[in-house]
């Protein structure tokens, strides 16, 4: 089976529960250790996934929007245990645009393909067009983005090389930019996959029965061309399969998975992958609000040359998501591993789980080998900034589970005794956000809980509570609990006795991404530069 799919890479482990292969989460492990797994296989916001198999290795990529580095690459040996190994995109272009946070813009749904010894990722920027990058080593350096199809609103690209060597690119359309949507279109590519050769041809119109169809993945099997595509909307839609004997159609349409009687809303958009032993599987997302779009793995059966995704217990030919299932047969058993979450900051750079909110700058941080801490500098915000929404130097990571606790130890250094102009802290970031910060005024050090509602509208922050502390070093903690991502903040001066502060806060997603948790250190723009925060470690626990 030929397949176009997305691709993700694995990251180094941390202190908690690590194996020789990498980290094992304390808050969510899909592998149940008895030959079965539970969904989601990734309880984190790896939205718009695409995946492929190359030999005995599986790679997955996902959208990353404004977060950088971007285009995460994950690796697996069995489709259940995944490790974050790389980011394919180090900086977004145009750099002058993406040096500032562009919430909801940037890297939308990508696809990954392996062709003639090279890995290709095609990704859309809805404001600029379709880009291509490639490499021979997915864990290494990827080429710089090449704009192969300029235009606004062209999204969700998927390349396909046919048996005769001809190449094609399937895309969808974003109504917010293109003025149309619910259409799938195929363009001719040159054999190298570096240039679009024609004006394209619409091959499916979903306006009547499958509105908001997008995210096409193009495959070929048993003489049929297949476009697997989501329809019906991000949170409430269904998975559609289109098939034809000819690449330009006409295409027959069939719903092959929906929510049915399950609690998994909008199960769709993802990748069809076949194991070494011939088993077909499908990876897709589920929109979970503040937790982002988490990933599920479904078994697939081919019946009359149609895929049925998940389990069809009522025999209507439409699959429904599984909660647990036997693991894919990949020929052997592999150790449990999960993407890294905690970070002791003992390496020469932060772990791959961390992303900034815009193209990174070296002036924001330092992790000197042997220091044992991450130093974030009190980098000044732009003049007139009302809250953290436009601030790029927020170091954040995805929520890793429905219930978890994030704790960090920080030592805050003011320099120059510039009162109340700088601060550092532990942040839950989204359309609404909240944080605990440590700062200093003329009376000494203090802890503040701050909440900002509708930050995207430029609203100002509200200080909910403040407590005095006797020292610059402090432990900051937030506990996030299901089902609504309710956050409770606390702090400690000794690392043992924690005191709750302020009020509980319900996390909200950002634009097209889930809420994130992480660290920051900022200063006002009109004061003397200086000041920093040394973060000794960051740990995710139950």
């Amino acid at each position: 089976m030929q397949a176009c799919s997305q691709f993700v890479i694995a990251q180094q482990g941390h202190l908690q529960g690590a194996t020789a292969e990498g980290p094992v989460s304390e808050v969510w492990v899909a592998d149940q250790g008895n030959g079965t797994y539970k969904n989601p296989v990734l309880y984190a916001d790896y939205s718009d996934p695409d995946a492929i198999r190359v030999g005995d290795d599986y790679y997955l990529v996902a959208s990353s929007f404004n977060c950088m580095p971007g285009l995460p690459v994950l690796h697996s040996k069995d489709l259940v245990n995944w490790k974050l190994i790389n980011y394919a995109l180090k900086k977004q272009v145009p750099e002058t645009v993406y040096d500032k946070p562009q919430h909801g813009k940037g890297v939308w749904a990508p696809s990954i393909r392996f062709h003639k010894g090279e890995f290709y990722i095609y990704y859309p920027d809805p404001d600029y067009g379709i880009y291509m990058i490639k490499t021979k080593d997915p864990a290494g350096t990827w080429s710089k983005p090449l704009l192969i199809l300029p235009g606004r609103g062209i999204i969700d690209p998927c390349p396909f090389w046919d048996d005769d060597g001809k190449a094609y690119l399937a895309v969808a359309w974003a109504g917010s930019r293109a003025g149309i949507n619910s259409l799938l279109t195929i363009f001719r590519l040159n054999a190298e996959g570096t240039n679009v050769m024609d004006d394209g041809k619409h091959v499916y119109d979903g306006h009547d029965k499958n509105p908001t169809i997008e995210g096409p993945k193009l495959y070929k099997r048993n003489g049929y061309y297949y476009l697997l595509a989501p329809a019906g909307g991000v949170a409430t839609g269904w998975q559609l399969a289109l098939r034809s004997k000819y690449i330009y159609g006409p295409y027959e349409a069939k719903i092959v998975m929906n929510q049915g009687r399950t609690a998994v809303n909008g199960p769709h958009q993802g990748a069809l992958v076949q194991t070494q032993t011939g088993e077909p599987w499908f990876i897709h997302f589920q929109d979970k609000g503040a937790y982002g779009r988490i990933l599920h793995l479904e078994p697939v059966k081919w019946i009359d040359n149609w895929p049925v995704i998940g389990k069809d217990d009522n025999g209507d030919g439409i699959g429904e998501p599984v909660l647990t299932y036997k693991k894919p047969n990949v020929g052997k058993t592999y150790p449990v591993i999960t993407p890294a979450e905690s970070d002791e900051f003992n390496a020469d750079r932060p772990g791959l789980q961390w992303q900034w909110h815009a193209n990174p700058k070296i002036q924001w941080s330092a992790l000197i080998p042997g220091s044992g801490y991450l130093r974030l500098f009190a980098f000044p915000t732009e003049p007139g900034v009302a809250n953290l929404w436009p601030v790029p130097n927020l170091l954040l990571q995805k929520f890793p589970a429905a219930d978890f606790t994030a704790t960090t130890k920080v030592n805050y250094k003011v320099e120059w005794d510039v009162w109340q102009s700088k601060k550092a802290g532990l942040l839950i970031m989204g359309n609404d956000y909240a944080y605990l910060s440590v700062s200093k005024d003329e009376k000494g050090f203090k802890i503040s809980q701050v909440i900002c509602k509708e930050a995207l509208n430029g609203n100002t922050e509200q200080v909910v509570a403040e407590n005095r502390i006797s020292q610059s070093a402090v432990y900051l903690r937030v506990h996030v609990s299901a089902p609504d991502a309710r956050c409770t903040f606390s702090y400690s001066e000794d690392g043992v006795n924690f005191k709750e502060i302020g009020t509980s806060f319900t996390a909200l997603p950002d634009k097209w991404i889930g809420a994130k948790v992480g660290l920051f250190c900022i200063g006002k723009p009109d004061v003397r530069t200086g000041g920093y925060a040394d973060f000794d470690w960051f740990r995710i626990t139950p």
Side-chain angles (χ1 to χ4, degrees):
M1 178 178 66
Q2 290 176 300
C4 165
S5 52
Q6 292 169 253
F7 151 105
V8 175
I9 304 187
Q11 136 89 21
Q12 200 172 354
H14 69 64
L15 179 71
Q16 58 188 63
T19 67
E21 289 72 25
V24 177
S25 174
E26 295 183 28
V27 293
W28 186 263
V29 178
D31 192 325
Q32 301 194 99
N34 59 359
T36 68
Y37 70 92
K38 64 181 179 180
N39 272 320
V41 289
L42 286 168
Y43 211 125
D45 186 27
Y46 290 104
S47 55
D48 307 316
D50 194 26
I52 55 172
R53 177 177 64 86
V54 179
D56 292 333
D57 298 284
Y58 298 87
Y59 298 96
L60 181 145
V61 292
S63 53
S64 50
F65 298 92
N66 60 291
C67 303
M68 292 302 294
L71 280 172
V73 180
L74 292 94
H75 171 262
S76 177
K77 284 288 191 178
D78 60 8
L79 291 171
V80 172
N81 294 284
W82 291 95
K83 182 181 182 182
L84 178 60
I85 59 171
N86 198 9
Y87 289 94
L89 190 63
K90 304 308 180 187
K91 285 194 174 182
Q92 292 208 70
V93 292
E95 290 187 26
T96 54
V97 173
Y98 289 106
D99 284 348
K100 297 181 179 181
Q102 303 292 336
H103 296 262
K105 301 180 180 182
V107 177
W108 285 23
S111 61
I112 182 172
R113 217 33 211 288
F114 184 74
H115 178 66
K116 291 187 175 181
E118 292 186 297
F119 294 85
Y120 291 76
I121 293 178
Y122 290 75
Y123 74 89
D125 183 316
D127 295 299
Y128 295 96
I130 304 300
Y131 291 91
M132 184 275 288
I133 57 177
K134 64 179 182 175
T135 186
K136 291 186 177 180
D137 177 13
T141 301
W142 289 74
S143 64
K144 291 186 177 180
L146 175 66
L147 183 62
I148 67 163
L149 179 58
R152 283 176 55 82
I154 312 170
I155 59 170
D156 304 350
C158 181
F160 176 78
W161 281 268
D162 208 345
D163 302 329
D164 59 5
K166 292 181 179 179
Y168 302 87
L169 186 73
V171 304
W173 301 86
S176 58
R177 274 82 163 178
I180 59 166
N181 66 356
S182 301
L183 288 171
L184 300 184
T185 307
I186 291 180
F187 291 85
R188 276 294 311 277
L189 280 174
N190 64 347
E192 297 76 23
T194 58
N195 185 46
V196 168
M197 300 172 61
D198 65 8
D199 292 331
K201 182 176 181 180
H202 298 315
V203 298
Y204 186 79
D205 185 341
H207 284 92
D208 297 325
K209 295 183 178 180
N210 293 290
T212 323
I213 190 170
E214 56 188 358
K217 297 294 183 290
L218 183 54
Y219 306 89
K220 191 175 185 180
R221 179 185 182 274
N222 287 353
Y224 283 100
Y225 296 92
Y226 290 89
L227 284 163
L228 299 187
V234 170
T236 57
W238 52 89
Q239 182 63 38
L240 197 67
L242 310 175
R243 76 177 186 187
S244 175
K245 288 287 187 176
Y246 306 96
I247 194 162
Y248 289 114
Y251 280 89
E252 305 171 78
K254 186 178 188 298
I255 296 175
V256 293
M257 180 175 60
N258 61 18
Q259 177 173 347
R261 296 162 296 175
T262 75
V264 182
N265 57 291
H268 59 29
Q269 189 151 348
L272 182 65
V273 184
Q274 185 167 290
T275 69
Q276 306 92 306
T277 61
E279 290 183 352
W281 294 83
F282 189 73
I283 300 172
H284 67 90
F285 73 67
Q286 174 196 8
D287 188 322
K288 289 283 287 183
Y291 296 100
R293 285 176 272 176
I294 62 178
L295 300 195
H296 293 243
L297 177 66
E298 310 293 347
V300 177
K301 287 185 178 180
W302 287 95
I303 299 175
D304 297 329
N305 284 315
W306 287 106
V308 177
I309 300 174
K311 293 186 68 177
D312 179 17
D313 289 334
N314 61 7
D316 64 356
I318 302 174
E320 298 178 8
V322 301
L323 295 180
T324 63
Y325 206 78
K326 65 180 181 180
K327 290 172 61 179
N329 180 4
V330 295
K332 60 185 296 187
T333 301
Y334 290 93
V336 173
I337 191 172
T338 60
E341 299 156 358
S342 299
D343 200 335
E344 297 298 305
F345 300 127
N346 289 331
D348 61 352
R349 63 189 63 189
L352 289 180
Q353 62 267 41
W354 297 105
Q355 294 174 289
W356 301 98
H357 245 27
N359 283 336
K361 295 185 183 298
I362 196 171
Q363 303 99 304
W364 294 344
S365 67
L367 210 169
I368 306 300
S371 67
Y373 55 77
L374 170 67
R375 177 165 289 178
L376 297 185
F377 298 104
F379 200 79
T381 61
E382 293 288 333
V385 165
N387 58 46
L388 296 182
W389 189 257
V391 173
N393 51 313
L394 309 177
L395 188 61
L396 308 172
Q397 62 172 277
K398 306 173 191 301
F399 280 16
D403 292 272
F404 68 94
T405 300
T407 309
T408 189
K409 180 183 178 183
V410 58
N411 193 357
Y412 173 65
K413 302 293 185 180
V414 178
E415 289 191 316
W416 320 125
D417 284 343
V418 181
W419 309 126
Q420 299 187 50
S421 62
K422 302 170 185 182
K423 55 189 170 184
L426 176 65
L427 168 68
I428 298 289
M429 186 65 190
N431 287 333
D432 293 355
Y433 68 78
Y435 61 78
L436 277 191
S437 67
V438 55
S439 60
K440 188 179 181 183
D441 60 16
E442 65 278 3
K443 295 180 181 179
F445 290 99
K446 62 181 178 179
I447 296 292
S448 304
Q449 189 206 20
V450 174
I451 293 176
C452 184
K453 295 292 185 72
E454 299 183 1
L456 73 168
N457 295 328
N459 291 349
T460 57
E461 299 179 341
Q462 302 298 318
V463 177
V464 176
E466 286 187 341
N467 287 350
R468 291 287 165 185
I469 55 175
S470 61
Q471 59 196 37
S472 61
V474 65
Y475 300 80
L476 306 177
R477 174 174 288 177
V478 60
H479 178 71
V480 179
S481 58
D484 57 351
R486 184 165 296 274
C487 306
T488 304
F489 290 90
S490 59
Y491 70 96
S492 172
E493 294 189 63
D494 60 11
V496 176
N497 301 295
F498 280 81
K499 181 179 180 180
E500 287 192 8
I501 181 173
T503 61
S504 63
F505 165 81
T506 300
L508 291 181
D510 203 310
K511 281 191 174 182
W512 295 118
I513 64 173
K516 303 188 83 170
V517 58
L519 313 171
F520 74 98
C521 185
I522 59 172
K524 291 183 178 179
D526 53 353
V527 299
R528 184 174 181 178
T529 58
Y532 53 86
D534 291 338
F535 291 90
D536 193 355
W537 44 257
F538 177 94
R539 295 172 185 164
I540 297 290
T541 57

